[in-house]
Structures are given as structure tokens and as C-alpha cells.
């Protein structure tokens, strides 16, 4: 009881933030982002034929392994390198060889035996092939074949039956292979406009609990998931082509502005650079943001939180070199930073935490190399954690209290991502937020003076 009285007295002496006394503080930072990555660590030379790199723990040892494809190789079309720790990798081990010209691969445990399997799509035999992982012994099984040249493949639980289905595109064909839980698949062709497919991305765009699909190629098309059945969505598709054209070789669904829904990062019509479009939370995309109008013909890129500030950055290959675009947490990206200008021609890139230190490392080819992310997590920037920011009571029907571990700037947004208040100055300590907020859900986004951004969901009743 005595403790409750003391807390109340302390709250009475807490400084209040008045919206009339707020002014904007711009924090100027200098950084040498290129220095956060190590020099390239060579995994294997003479790997110019690599056309795809993905990572997965295929031997269940807790470390991400490398899986690669070589579309135009006569041997080792699909192979892997086991991660032995400390950025050491075992020799290349072939899974598939021949002349099938594998275009893309994906992974998932399709038969629920706790071993990750591999599925591929290739454009010489025009086949979709499953490689069942039996403790690193891979057994191929052709699931289907149809005519295509370029193609892509992805994995998701489309019908929400707790097993992984396969989504494949190639040529003018779009198919879903529904899994019965033990790797028996039933194919279904998804009708849509006549188009030449090239890239695919999967996520729940309207928060209804079902995974939707957006495809790139001669068109950018949205396929809405209606209770496990995908169908072409002409209205949403038209939204994506109104400002950047319909053609795109690369696209990804990801939450770029930290508002809780997935936005669309994409190449703009193969000639208008890198752009992103904001999701309104209901699967409608608008508010075109041009990131870099100068880059073209993007074939390989990777998204990750490279600077560990709780938002997604991305890297692309441009003119055979590697460039990083860092995100401020609101979907505003810095000018590109040159990360690697290797003597070889870089043609494919991937990112993953390869040494389990919580930081995203980068893997690229050629030659097949990895660069360790050496960002120091012990700096004050990373002492700020979501748990160190307290907003209470939450839910609330009265004034809120906010405890901040560092100085920073507070923005308050609604569910639609619109700013209600901007640039509220926070000092380290606890504050009473003397502001009027009508009952609804809000996002409190704090950018600290050291650059880190944390977003908290707050309910006003």
C-alpha cells in the first residue's frame, strides 16, 4: 500500500508533454556502413554459374546451410554447402545433376518428418521436382511438368490446413500444389490474364489469415486467397500498374514502414528504378514511393535488418556491384552505400544470420563468398529494447505514461498509418502524455537519438 502511494506521488511530479511546446529536433548521424561488413570470406572459387542462393538448416544442427542452383551447369544443378560454424563450410555436395536448367528452388518440411525438403522448378525438362530429405539423402520426385522458360517457386500453407503447399509459376501458367500433409500433392491451375510470369511473392496482404500471392513479369498481378482458393484480383492488380507500369522482374511483400501490414517493394517497370507501394492494411496499394530512379534491370536483391534497428533494409546488385539502402523505420531509404565492388561479377545475393549472433550476414556469387556483419551490439543504440519502453496503462481510458530509456522523438499513428502527432520530443525518463486521443488503436513510434526505432501498439478505449 505504501508502495502504491509512492508511485502515485512520483507520477504527480512527472513532466508532461504538451503538443504546443513541441519542436522538431533533427539528429544528424554519420556512419560508414561499408565498414560493418567483413572482407569477403571465400567459400569456393569459379562459381560464376550460380543463379540462385538460399539458406536452410538441412542437417538439423542449428546452423543455416547454403543451397545453390547453377542453371546452365552440366553438373551440380542443385547442391549444398554445410555450415560448420565460424564461417567455415564443407565441400559442395550435389543433389541434382543433368540438363534440367533449374531456375529456382524453395524449402519446406512437406512430409512433417522434421527434415527440410527442397522443391525446384526448371525450364529444360519443364518440371516441378520435390527432393525429399532423408537425413541428407535426397530422393527426387517429379510432381508435374508444363511448358515454360522463366519460372519461380514458393512455399506456403495456402489452405490453412497446417501443412506446406507449393506455389509455382512458369511461362503463362500459375499452379498451386495442395499438400495432404505427407507430401502427396494435388495440382490446381489458377486462371488469370495471359502473361509471362517471372517472379513471385507470398504474404497475407489484407490480414484475413490467408496467404495471398503477387506475381511479377509482363504483368504485376494480385491473386487473392479466399479461404484457401486463389483467384485473380483485377481491382488490386490495376492499382499496381497505374503509376509504375505493369512490367516487373523483381518484387517482394514486406512491412517497410513498420505499421503492421505488408507493403510491396518492386522494380518499377524495368526502367523506372526501385519503388515501393504502401498497403492500407486491407490489401490496397497506393502512395508510390520512389527509392532510386536510376537503378534498372534488378534480378537479385535481399531484404533484412542489416543495421539491427528493427526495420527492413535491402541490398541490390547494380552494375555487378553490391549496394545497401537503409530504412529509417518509416519507409524512407538513404542513398545507396557501396558494400562490395568485387573483382568478379556479382550476379546473385542472399542474406542470413550464418553464425547465430543475431545479425544478418550477406552471401553472394561469384565467387561464392560470405561477408560477416560486424555491427557491435553492445553500443548504446542496441541497449534499447522493446521491453525497455513502457507505455501504461494499456489499454487506457485516461492519460498515458511513457517511460523512455533514452532521449528521442515520438510519432503517433493510427491503424491506417496516418500521423496523429509528429515529432513529440522525449527525454530519458517517465512522462505523462497529456494529449487527446479518441478511442481506437494507435502505434507509438519512438526514434531514439542513437538511431534505433521501436513501435508499440496502444489501445485507447
Amino acid at each position: 500500500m505504501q508502495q502504491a502511494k509512492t508511485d502515485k506521488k512520483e507520477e504527480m511530479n512527472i513532466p508532461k508533454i504538451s503538443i504546443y511546446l513541441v519542436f522538431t529536433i533533427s539528429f544528424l548521424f554519420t556512419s560508414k556502413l561499408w565498414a560493418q561488413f567483413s572482407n569477403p570470406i571465400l567459400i569456393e572459387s569459379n562459381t560464376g554459374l550460380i543463379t540462385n542462393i538460399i539458406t536452410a538448416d538441412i542437417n538439423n544442427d542449428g546452423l543455416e546451410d547454403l543451397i545453390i542452383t547453377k542453371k546452365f551447369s552440366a553438373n551440380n544443378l542443385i547442391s549444398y554447402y554445410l555450415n560448420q560454424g565460424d564461417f567455415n563450410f564443407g565441400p559442395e555436395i550435389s543433389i541434382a545433376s543433368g540438363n534440367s536448367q533449374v531456375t529456382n528452388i524453395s524449402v519446406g518440411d512437406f512430409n512433417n518428418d522434421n527434415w527440410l525438403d527442397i522443391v525446384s522448378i526448371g525450364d529444360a525438362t519443364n518440371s516441378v521436382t520435390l527432393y525429399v530429405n532423408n537425413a541428407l539423402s535426397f530422393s527426387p520426385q517429379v510432381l508435374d511438368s508444363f511448358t515454360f522458360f522463366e519460372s519461380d517457386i514458393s512455399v506456403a500453407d495456402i489452405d490453412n490446413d497446417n501443412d506446406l503447399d507449393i506455389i509455382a509459376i512458369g511461362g503463362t501458367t500459375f499452379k498451386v500444389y495442395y499438400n495432404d500433409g505427407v507430401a502427396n500433392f494435388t495440382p490446381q491451375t489458377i486462371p488469370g490474364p495471359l502473361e509471362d510470369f517471372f517472379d513471385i511473392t507470398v504474404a497475407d496482404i489484407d490480414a484475413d489469415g490467408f496467404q495471398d500471392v503477387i506475381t511479377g513479369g509482363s504483368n504485376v498481378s494480385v491473386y487473392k486467397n479466399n479461404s484457401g482458393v486463389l483467384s485473380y484480383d483485377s481491382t488490386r492488380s490495376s492499382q499496381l500498374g497505374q503509376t509504375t507500369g505493369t512490367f516487373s522482374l523483381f518484387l517482394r511483400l514486406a512491412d517497410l514502414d513498420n505499421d503492421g501490414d505488408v507493403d510491396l517493394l518492386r522494380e518499377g517497370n524495368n526502367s523506372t528504378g526501385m519503388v515501393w507501394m504502401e498497403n492500407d492494411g486491407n490489401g490496397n496499394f497506393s502512395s508510390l514511393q520512389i527509392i532510386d530512379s536510376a537503378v534498372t534491370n534488378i534480378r537479385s536483391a535481399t531484404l533484412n535488418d542489416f543495421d539491427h534497428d528493427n526495420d527492413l533494409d535491402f541490398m541490390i546488385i547494380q552494375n555487378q556491384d553490391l549496394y545497401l539502402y537503409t530504412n529509417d523505420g518509416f519507409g524512407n531509404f538513404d542513398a545507396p552505400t557501396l558494400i562490395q565492388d568485387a573483382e568478379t561479377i556479382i550476379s546473385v545475393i542472399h542474406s542470413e544470420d550464418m553464425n547465430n549472433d543475431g545479425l544478418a550476414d550477406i552471401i553472394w556469387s561469384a565467387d561464392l563468398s560470405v561477408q560477416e556483419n560486424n555491427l557491435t551490439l553492445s553500443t548504446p543504440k542496441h541497449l534499447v529494447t522493446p521491453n525497455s519502453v513502457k507505455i501504461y496503462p494499456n489499454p487506457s481510458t485516461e492519460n498515458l505514461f511513457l517511460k523512455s530509456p533514452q532521449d528521442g522523438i515520438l510519432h503517433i499513428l493510427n491503424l491506417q498509418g496516418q500521423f496523429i502527432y509528429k515529432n513529440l520530443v522525449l527525454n530519458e525518463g517517465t512522462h505523462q502524455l497529456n494529449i487527446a486521443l479518441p478511442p481506437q488503436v494507435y502505434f507509438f513510434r519512438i526514434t531514439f537519438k542513437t538511431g534505433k526505432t521501436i513501435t508499440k501498439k496502444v489501445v485507447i478505449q
Side-chain angles (χ1 to χ4, degrees):
M1 189 68 179
Q2 180 62 37
Q3 181 63 44
K5 290 181 180 179
T6 301
D7 291 345
K8 187 65 176 179
K9 182 177 180 180
E10 289 177 353
E11 289 180 354
M12 292 177 64
N13 294 321
I14 289 171
K16 297 183 179 181
I17 296 178
S18 172
I19 61 175
Y20 303 105
L21 299 178
V22 170
F23 59 93
T24 303
I25 297 177
S26 298
F27 297 110
L28 301 178
F29 304 100
T30 58
S31 61
K32 296 181 179 179
L33 289 172
W34 55 268
Q36 83 177 64
F37 294 96
S38 71
N39 290 327
I41 302 168
L42 180 66
I43 299 173
E44 186 163 331
S45 58
N46 301 317
T47 54
L49 292 175
I50 291 178
T51 51
N52 196 13
I53 300 171
I54 66 173
T55 51
D57 182 8
I58 58 174
N59 63 342
N60 289 339
D61 67 348
L63 294 170
E64 295 289 309
D65 308 301
L66 298 179
I67 311 169
I68 66 169
T69 64
K70 299 177 182 176
K71 178 177 179 180
F72 300 107
S73 173
N75 301 297
N76 299 338
L77 290 169
I78 305 175
S79 54
Y80 65 83
Y81 298 81
L82 291 180
N83 186 347
Q84 298 175 340
D86 296 325
F87 295 98
N88 296 306
F89 294 85
E92 180 181 11
I93 299 177
S94 179
I95 294 175
S97 59
N99 63 348
S100 65
Q101 295 185 18
V102 171
T103 305
N104 272 304
I105 54 176
S106 192
V107 297
D109 182 8
F110 298 106
N111 57 357
N112 290 310
D113 65 350
N114 296 317
W115 290 85
L116 290 175
D117 312 303
I118 299 172
V119 63
S120 73
I121 189 166
D123 58 13
T125 59
N126 293 319
S127 63
V128 176
T129 304
L130 172 65
Y131 298 86
V132 176
N133 184 354
N134 300 293
L136 290 185
S137 175
F138 290 88
S139 305
Q141 174 188 350
V142 176
L143 302 181
D144 196 8
S145 62
F146 53 93
T147 303
F148 53 82
F149 181 67
E150 289 293 351
S151 56
D152 199 8
I153 199 160
S154 189
V155 171
D157 185 1
I158 294 296
D159 53 2
N160 281 5
D161 63 349
N162 297 315
D163 55 46
L164 291 174
D165 309 305
I166 299 169
I167 308 101
I169 55 172
T172 59
T173 302
F174 179 10
K175 285 192 172 185
V176 175
Y177 300 85
Y178 289 98
N179 186 359
D180 68 354
V182 290
N184 298 310
F185 294 90
T186 301
Q188 179 181 1
T189 300
I190 309 300
L194 184 64
E195 55 187 290
D196 187 9
F197 292 110
F198 194 94
D199 199 15
I200 191 170
T201 183
V202 182
D204 182 2
I205 65 174
D206 58 351
D208 67 348
F210 286 89
Q211 300 292 300
D212 310 294
V213 175
I214 298 183
T215 61
S218 58
N219 297 322
V220 178
S221 300
V222 178
Y223 290 83
K224 181 71 183 68
N225 189 338
N226 300 293
S227 300
V229 178
L230 292 171
S231 60
Y232 176 71
D233 190 321
S234 59
T235 300
R236 288 185 171 93
S237 298
S238 65
Q239 294 171 355
L240 301 182
Q242 288 174 353
T243 52
T244 60
T246 58
F247 189 87
S248 187
L249 296 176
F250 172 86
L251 41 77
R252 291 293 182 272
L253 286 166
D255 186 2
L256 300 178
D257 53 3
N258 280 348
D259 64 351
D261 54 45
V262 290
D263 311 297
L264 182 65
L265 176 72
R266 57 168 289 197
E267 177 193 44
N269 209 32
N270 201 32
S271 60
T272 54
M274 202 70 175
V275 303
W276 74 276
M277 301 183 73
E278 184 180 1
N279 187 346
D280 68 354
N282 296 311
N284 301 302
F285 296 89
S286 60
S287 301
L288 176 71
Q289 311 287 325
I290 298 176
I291 300 171
D292 191 339
S293 60
V295 298
T296 58
N297 197 29
I298 300 165
R299 296 294 187 99
S300 184
T302 183
L303 285 89
N304 226 311
D305 184 6
F306 293 106
D307 53 4
H308 207 266
D309 64 349
N310 293 324
D311 56 48
L312 287 174
D313 317 299
F314 71 92
M315 289 190 192
I316 64 170
I317 299 168
Q318 186 67 11
N319 299 322
Q320 291 81 53
D321 296 326
L322 199 57
Y323 290 88
L324 169 65
Y325 296 75
T326 56
N327 187 351
D328 70 351
F330 302 96
N332 302 307
F333 291 88
D334 292 336
T337 299
L338 179 63
I339 297 297
Q340 185 56 239
D341 56 352
E343 295 180 2
T344 56
I345 295 175
I346 300 177
S347 60
V348 61
I349 181 178
H350 185 71
S351 62
E352 185 60 77
D353 180 6
M354 302 304 294
N355 60 342
N356 290 341
D357 67 349
L359 295 170
D361 310 300
I362 50 177
I363 311 104
W364 47 265
S365 189
D367 294 319
L368 184 59
S369 304
V370 60
Q371 288 184 256
E372 180 182 5
N373 190 339
N374 288 320
L375 196 69
T376 303
L377 294 182
S378 60
T379 61
K381 174 178 179 178
H382 300 288
L383 296 178
V384 176
T385 66
N387 288 333
S388 68
V389 178
K390 306 293 185 183
I391 301 176
Y392 61 94
N394 187 19
S396 176
T397 58
E398 56 187 26
N399 289 332
L400 290 169
F401 294 90
L402 189 153
K403 182 179 180 181
S404 176
Q406 292 182 8
D407 296 347
I409 298 294
L410 169 65
H411 305 283
I412 301 177
L413 301 87
N414 61 18
L415 273 176
Q416 289 71 45
Q418 300 167 325
F419 287 100
I420 306 302
Y421 293 112
K422 297 177 68 174
N423 300 316
L424 303 179
V425 178
L426 287 178
N427 295 318
E428 181 179 347
T430 304
H431 302 269
Q432 182 179 355
L433 300 183
N434 188 23
I435 53 180
L437 291 173
Q440 64 178 25
V441 177
Y442 298 91
F443 291 100
F444 282 43
R445 183 175 298 162
I446 305 171
T447 300
F448 295 94
K449 67 178 183 179
T450 45
K452 186 164 185 174
T453 297
I454 287 179
T455 302
K456 290 276 192 174
K457 183 177 179 181
V458 178
V459 178
I460 303 297
Q461 296 178 334

